[in-house]
Amino acid sequence: QVQLVESGGGLVQAGASLRLSCAASESTFSKYAMGWFRQAPGKEREFVAAVAAVAPISWSGGRTDYADSVKGRFTISRDNAKNTVYLQMNSLKPEDTAVYYCAASLSYSRRYYQAEYVYWGQGTQVTVSS
């Protein structure tokens, strides 16, 4: 059982930056692809970004992918030595306001599908004011 704990959310103004962190409880963290999802009030939870497990565990070798809405503004990264995945969010917009969740999956190729993620964090609130 892997426990994921997000941190780094908060209230910021439009144009500001935040870095979210997601710490995993186990050293097996490195074998999982990691994703960030978000859920805005009244909306479905949606994919934000994902990073593959590193080679040789995954043929994807640390590849990353982003939703179109955040591409060029958000960066996902992982530090396997710290069992942590990050989401650097720059140029934040009010429409980025949501609860952000990190999740772990054994399948990077199916990164868009929430059902593929076996472990989820509790979420961290990000609020961007205009």
Side-chain angles (χ1 to χ4, degrees):
Q1 183 83 8
V2 177
Q3 293 184 336
L4 302 174
V5 179
E6 301 99 334
S7 60
L11 170 63
V12 297
Q13 291 189 327
S17 298
L18 278 176
R19 188 176 80 157
L20 304 184
S21 299
C22 172
S25 61
E26 294 190 3
S27 59
T28 55
F29 164 82
S30 63
K31 75 177 184 180
Y32 293 95
M34 298 299 296
W36 285 97
F37 291 79
R38 67 186 181 186
Q39 187 168 21
K43 294 188 176 182
E44 298 287 321
R45 189 163 57 186
E46 63 178 4
F47 171 81
V48 175
V51 58
V54 297
I57 295 168
S58 168
W59 68 270
S60 299
R63 287 179 62 183
T64 59
D65 194 14
Y66 300 91
D68 288 343
S69 59
V70 306
K71 203 168 290 184
R73 299 188 298 121
F74 290 13
T75 303
I76 188 172
S77 61
R78 65 190 302 158
D79 184 337
N80 288 335
K82 296 182 178 180
N83 294 345
T84 301
V85 62
Y86 303 98
L87 186 67
Q88 177 67 44
M89 306 186 295
N90 298 330
S91 302
L92 283 161
K93 304 175 181 180
E95 51 263 45
D96 294 318
T97 294
V99 177
Y100 283 72
Y101 299 89
C102 72
S105 171
L106 291 172
S107 173
Y108 179 73
S109 63
R110 296 180 62 79
R111 57 195 174 274
Y112 304 120
Y113 301 98
Q114 297 183 43
E116 293 294 327
Y117 288 80
V118 293
Y119 301 111
W120 290 82
Q122 82 289 350
T124 186
Q125 177 71 48
V126 172
T127 304
V128 185
S129 62
S130 57

